[in-house]
Amino acid sequence: MRKLIPLMTAAILFAACGKDGTGSPGPSPSDLAVIHLSVAGSDGPPTKLSGLEYELHEKPVNHWAWFFFERSSGSLAAMGTVGGDGKITKTLRTGVYEVWVIANYPESVNLASIRTKNNFLALKARLSDNGAGSMLMAGSTPGGKPVTLSDENPEAEITIHLKRLVSKLTVSSITRRFESPALGAKPLVLKHIYMTNVYPETFYARDLKAEELPSRQAFWYNAMGWHHPEGLAADRSTDRFLAERELDRNLSQNETAELDLSFYFFPNPLPLQDDSHTPLWSGPRCTRLILETEFEGHTYYYQATLPKEEEQTSIGRNMAFQLRCTLTRLGSKDPEQIIPGSVEVVFSAVTGNWQGNYEVNEKS
């Protein structure tokens, strides 16, 4: 248990340094309180995506920034940055504050521009901002409940759970069980797996709402297909999280290929009932996982749309799912086309270490 700086000592130091250029005194010791924050993680299972490993790429908190906003005005009361998993102690005036933390943000984020809570709520991230060695994370106090610092409560004890901004989908296995023995006897090769109709932007503070999704195809990545010319330009950093290329895996009849390949994306809030498979883009579409295969020199596609069922809860940040599928006949000639009965898909939620791995704790 870490020894805290005594409140009176911290208050005296704060008051001694709290005079402005005119000699005006700072707050008195009775108006001060102390908060202690640290970052802690836990172990988890390994995952694979182009060589990514849990300990090296999903787990680390390389750096983080903290913000205290005054509850009444929304103005910034204090902020700071921490390298690695260091710890901070902050002395504040008594009052009511909202606390936010972001982690592993890129250098392009202008922290100095965040002067109010509304500035923070408008802060956006891109999928490519996730580093090769860490994932973007953010968090606040549970339920957004503010922290009250008072004479009666001069040392608040808070726990903030950091959530990754991305969701994760792991393709655990693919089984080939063609209904036609004649087709089943011929070679089928898995060439690529990738995600389509991905909107590569979100807020640090929350997931997007369906009405906030742009309607133009030009704002979407892999819109209606791999590197579609009408979508966003191809980007290697984004591809790393959304695709596994050149797999060239033979899928034998009545056998299961164990893959364990993970893909990372920002949640798409579009309800399944608002999805579209029309040949022309007419607005936002659900995100899909695409299996691209080759059969007798021709390309066939199989798709799994997220969410799979209308009654399913929308996928949110820091959620992880596994997918197992069975191919029962030849797929479609277009990644947006559905061939009924060509594939059976089973989703299952992953609980445990992926969710809630990171905490920002106040320790006494």
Side-chain angles (χ1 to χ4, degrees):
M1 185 173 293
R2 185 164 61 90
K3 184 178 180 180
L4 302 183
I5 298 175
L7 179 60
M8 185 58 69
T9 301
I12 292 173
L13 291 173
F14 188 97
C17 299
K19 296 182 180 181
D20 58 27
T22 63
S24 299
S28 66
S30 61
D31 294 330
L32 299 175
V34 177
I35 290 181
H36 310 268
L37 294 176
S38 63
V39 175
S42 60
D43 294 332
T47 59
K48 298 179 178 66
L49 169 62
S50 298
L52 293 189
E53 297 179 1
Y54 180 84
E55 291 292 332
L56 297 177
H57 301 98
E58 290 183 2
K59 180 182 177 182
V61 174
N62 293 330
H63 57 277
W64 49 287
W66 48 270
F67 307 86
F68 292 97
F69 298 104
E70 292 182 352
R71 177 70 168 180
S72 58
S73 65
S75 61
L76 180 68
M79 66 165 290
T81 60
V82 182
D85 59 355
K87 304 174 182 179
I88 68 106
T89 296
K90 184 62 183 175
T91 303
L92 294 170
R93 292 177 181 269
T94 55
V96 183
Y97 299 93
E98 294 187 30
V99 184
W100 283 91
V101 172
I102 63 174
N104 301 335
Y105 52 88
E107 293 181 359
S108 58
V109 173
N110 183 8
L111 298 178
S113 67
I114 301 175
R115 309 307 303 171
T116 67
K117 177 186 172 183
N118 286 338
N119 292 154
F120 179 82
L121 296 180
L123 186 62
K124 289 186 176 181
R126 295 190 63 80
L127 188 60
S128 57
D129 290 340
N130 287 278
S134 56
M135 299 291 185
L136 298 177
M137 302 180 189
S140 182
T141 46
K145 185 178 179 181
V147 177
T148 300
L149 303 176
S150 63
D151 294 340
E152 294 76 22
N153 183 35
E155 295 188 74
E157 296 186 3
I158 61 174
T159 298
I160 297 179
H161 296 270
L162 288 180
K163 292 184 177 181
R164 302 169 187 84
L165 305 193
V166 296
S167 299
K168 180 171 74 171
L169 179 63
T170 299
V171 181
S172 56
S173 66
I174 300 176
T175 300
R176 181 186 179 189
R177 191 173 294 122
F178 275 15
E179 297 169 348
S180 167
L183 292 180
K186 297 179 179 180
L188 177 70
V189 178
L190 174 65
K191 302 294 290 184
H192 318 289
I193 305 178
Y194 50 89
M195 304 196 76
T196 61
N197 305 333
V198 175
Y199 186 56
E201 190 172 86
T202 192
F203 292 104
Y204 274 90
R206 62 174 176 84
D207 290 338
L208 289 170
K209 300 176 182 177
E211 57 268 24
E212 294 173 318
L213 294 172
S215 59
R216 290 181 55 195
Q217 186 177 1
F219 291 103
W220 292 73
Y221 201 83
N222 287 347
M224 296 181 65
W226 176 253
H227 291 177
H228 195 287
E230 299 300 321
L232 282 169
D235 174 70
R236 181 177 296 182
S237 296
T238 302
D239 285 342
R240 186 176 191 194
F241 295 101
L242 298 178
E244 284 286 354
R245 308 288 295 176
E246 312 301 337
L247 292 169
D248 297 327
R249 182 77 175 264
N250 184 55
L251 301 177
S252 301
Q253 175 74 347
N254 295 323
E255 292 187 7
T256 297
E258 303 292 343
L259 297 175
D260 194 26
L261 297 174
S262 296
F263 304 84
Y264 303 80
F265 57 99
F266 287 149
N268 180 348
L270 190 73
L272 188 62
Q273 61 266 26
D274 294 336
D275 191 21
S276 173
H277 292 270
T278 58
L280 295 178
W281 182 277
S282 58
R285 298 190 176 206
C286 287
T287 298
R288 315 189 204 288
L289 181 90
I290 303 296
L291 308 180
E292 184 175 324
T293 66
E294 184 179 283
F295 183 85
E296 293 191 321
H298 298 283
T299 298
Y300 293 90
Y301 301 93
Y302 299 88
Q303 63 174 257
T305 296
L306 308 172
K308 182 173 180 288
E309 307 291 347
E310 290 190 21
E311 62 270 17
Q312 282 184 340
T313 302
S314 297
I315 294 176
R317 63 180 55 189
N318 210 61
M319 296 176 67
F321 296 84
Q322 285 187 341
L323 178 151
R324 294 180 289 107
C325 62
T326 301
L327 312 184
T328 57
R329 61 184 69 171
L330 287 177
S332 67
K333 290 297 187 72
D334 184 286
E336 285 291 281
Q337 180 186 4
I338 296 177
I339 302 297
S342 63
V343 59
E344 299 172 356
V345 178
V346 177
F347 287 92
S348 58
V350 176
T351 59
N353 288 314
W354 169 260
Q355 295 181 318
N357 275 349
Y358 295 93
E359 297 180 353
V360 176
N361 298 310
E362 182 279 334
K363 293 188 176 181
S364 59

